[in-house]
Amino acid sequence: MTSSNSALNVLNDVIAVNLHVSIWTGRKMLEDSDLSLSGEAPPREIINLGSKHTTDPKALKVFHTLKRRAERLCLSVGIPFLGGYAIPTSKADDVAKELAKIMAQFEVEKQKYLQKHADIQDDWISKFPAYEAILRKALTETCDVEKRINAAYSMFQIKSAQLDSSIDTGLSSQVESLSGSLEDDVLKNAKKLLDSLTGAIRPSQTNVNSLKKLREKVEGLAFLNGRFDTLIKKIVHIEQQMPLTGKLSIDETNLLSGLLHRMSTKANLSSLMNDLTTIEQDSVQPQQSFTPTKNDSEIDLSNDCDFGDFETPQESISPIEKSIFF
């Protein structure tokens, strides 16, 4: 993070998002009495790492799917922060609207499951008649399951609690780490995009659009460190050389993979950003302007200037000597 972007200034541009999702597992601890006298364990379908499934795990998958959808949404524009996510304030409204939809869908699925909870447990037990007694004594009532399946989110802006230099909340160090988190995110996604591009039979707009999404995410968080601005410009430069539709040519694929390669390892990305920063600084170096003095503006051109005698060179007949090299 640059010195101009202090921790407290960065907080003004960041919204913290926390997801509060709890999902009933449908598991109960496996007891010694659950084993047969010969020590034989129940089938793998109903035991897992020392616990037993009292309901069909597939019936609960929808809740995990919705949880992952909410996490991906936050990560699409933000990065991990204080146990949740840090997103740019400019994206807060859009994220809130999408999270609200996901939470509403979560509640719909919860009510649908609760209505069928007892039947789902009975159907599950019927598949393992030899262990019916073991499973039935471990069943969970619908009213208890209702309390264990919940989803909500919170969004807030963080303010430092520092009153003077002697009070250190540790928040500054957390904020300072955001720049590194964004860099790690760029590395991870660039590696993923490079693998996808390398594995594609014929690279297409899907590969280009994935790069655009990464660039848009970095754009939203570029205030964390000015060095990201130069990376954004480089990505845009490559995007502009990609076709608007259709498949990518070999040259276009090589151009795209070349950039992703320079972004896919820590050493390569650091080198790329340093090079881009150097180029950026060189391009804005002020040029010295020439201001004529009074004597310069009053040069007497009335007399011919004598530069002495020059020997006129003979024209070379060698093709090599007549070539022009750039």
Side-chain angles (χ1 to χ4, degrees), residues 285-325:
Q285 286 291 336
Q287 296 183 353
Q288 294 183 348
S289 58
F290 174 74
T291 304
T293 65
K294 181 178 181 181
N295 292 336
D296 292 330
S297 61
E298 297 178 355
I299 296 177
D300 185 4
L301 300 178
S302 60
N303 297 324
D304 293 334
C305 296
D306 185 7
F307 294 97
D309 295 330
F310 289 88
E311 181 180 355
T312 304
Q314 295 182 349
E315 182 179 358
S316 172
I317 59 175
S318 170
I320 297 178
E321 293 181 19
K322 296 177 69 175
S323 300
I324 300 175
F325 295 92

Side-chain angles (χ1 to χ4, degrees), residues 217-271:
K217 177 176 180 177
V218 177
E219 277 181 330
L221 295 165
F223 58 83
L224 295 174
N225 192 313
R227 297 206 312 159
F228 290 114
D229 290 329
T230 59
L231 179 62
I232 293 168
K233 292 178 182 178
K234 180 63 176 179
I235 296 176
V236 169
H237 176 69
I238 297 299
E239 287 178 13
Q240 292 172 341
Q241 299 180 66
M242 296 294 110
L244 297 178
T245 59
K247 306 292 185 179
L248 305 188
S249 67
I250 294 178
D251 289 341
E252 291 161 347
T253 301
N254 290 339
L255 193 63
L256 183 57
S257 63
L259 174 63
L260 291 174
H261 175 73
R262 296 201 67 185
M263 294 168 56
S264 60
T265 69
K266 197 171 187 66
N268 286 355
L269 180 60
S270 178
S271 175

Side-chain angles (χ1 to χ4, degrees), residues 70-315:
E71 292 170 342
R72 286 196 301 269
L73 172 63
C74 294
L75 287 174
S76 68
V77 297
I79 49 182
F81 179 57
L82 295 177
Y85 307 90
I87 66 172
T89 54
S90 59
K91 301 290 185 180
D93 286 343
D94 292 338
V95 171
K97 291 175 183 177
E98 292 303 314
L99 283 177
K101 293 178 182 178
I102 295 173
M103 300 306 161
Q105 183 62 35
F106 193 100
E107 183 61 26
V108 169
E109 296 298 335
K110 172 182 175 179
Q111 296 305 321
K112 288 168 59 176
Y113 175 80
L114 292 176
Q115 292 174 6
K116 301 182 295 182
H117 171 65
D119 292 337
I120 292 174
Q121 287 190 133
D122 288 340
D123 291 343
W124 178 251
I125 293 173
S126 67
K127 296 178 181 179
F128 310 98
Y131 298 92
E132 180 176 356
I134 294 174
L135 294 175
R136 284 207 176 276
K137 72 177 183 179
L139 294 182
T140 304
E141 296 291 335
T142 302
C143 59
D144 290 331
V145 174
E146 183 177 11
K147 299 175 184 177
R148 302 184 190 185
I149 302 179
N150 293 288
Y153 71 94
S154 57
M155 302 179 71
F156 49 91
Q157 193 162 34
I158 299 175
K159 299 295 183 182
S160 175
Q162 278 188 292
L163 300 178
D164 54 52
S165 58
S166 64
I167 301 177
D168 184 6
T169 62
L171 181 59
S172 293
S173 62
Q174 291 290 329
V175 176
E176 290 287 348
S177 69
L178 284 174
S179 177
S181 295
L182 179 55
E183 193 166 315
D184 291 341
D185 192 81
V186 170
L187 286 170
K188 182 179 69 174
N189 283 284
K191 179 66 167 62
K192 187 184 301 183
L193 295 180
L194 181 60
D195 290 343
S196 176
L197 181 66
T198 304
I201 298 177
R202 185 73 188 276
S204 63
Q205 293 301 309
T206 299
N207 303 97
V208 179
N209 290 334
S210 296
L211 178 63
K212 289 180 180 178
K213 289 179 180 179
L214 176 57
R215 186 253 303 163
E216 290 171 353
K217 177 176 180 177
V218 177
E219 277 181 330
L221 295 165
F223 58 83
L224 295 174
N225 192 313
R227 297 206 312 159
F228 290 114
D229 290 329
T230 59
L231 179 62
I232 293 168
K233 292 178 182 178
K234 180 63 176 179
I235 296 176
V236 169
H237 176 69
I238 297 299
E239 287 178 13
Q240 292 172 341
Q241 299 180 66
M242 296 294 110
L244 297 178
T245 59
K247 306 292 185 179
L248 305 188
S249 67
I250 294 178
D251 289 341
E252 291 161 347
T253 301
N254 290 339
L255 193 63
L256 183 57
S257 63
L259 174 63
L260 291 174
H261 175 73
R262 296 201 67 185
M263 294 168 56
S264 60
T265 69
K266 197 171 187 66
N268 286 355
L269 180 60
S270 178
S271 175
L272 173 62
M273 294 181 73
N274 287 336
D275 290 346
L276 293 174
T277 300
T278 300
I279 294 173
E280 181 84 2
Q281 292 173 345
D282 290 344
S283 66
V284 297
Q285 286 291 336
Q287 296 183 353
Q288 294 183 348
S289 58
F290 174 74
T291 304
T293 65
K294 181 178 181 181
N295 292 336
D296 292 330
S297 61
E298 297 178 355
I299 296 177
D300 185 4
L301 300 178
S302 60
N303 297 324
D304 293 334
C305 296
D306 185 7
F307 294 97
D309 295 330
F310 289 88
E311 181 180 355
T312 304
Q314 295 182 349
E315 182 179 358

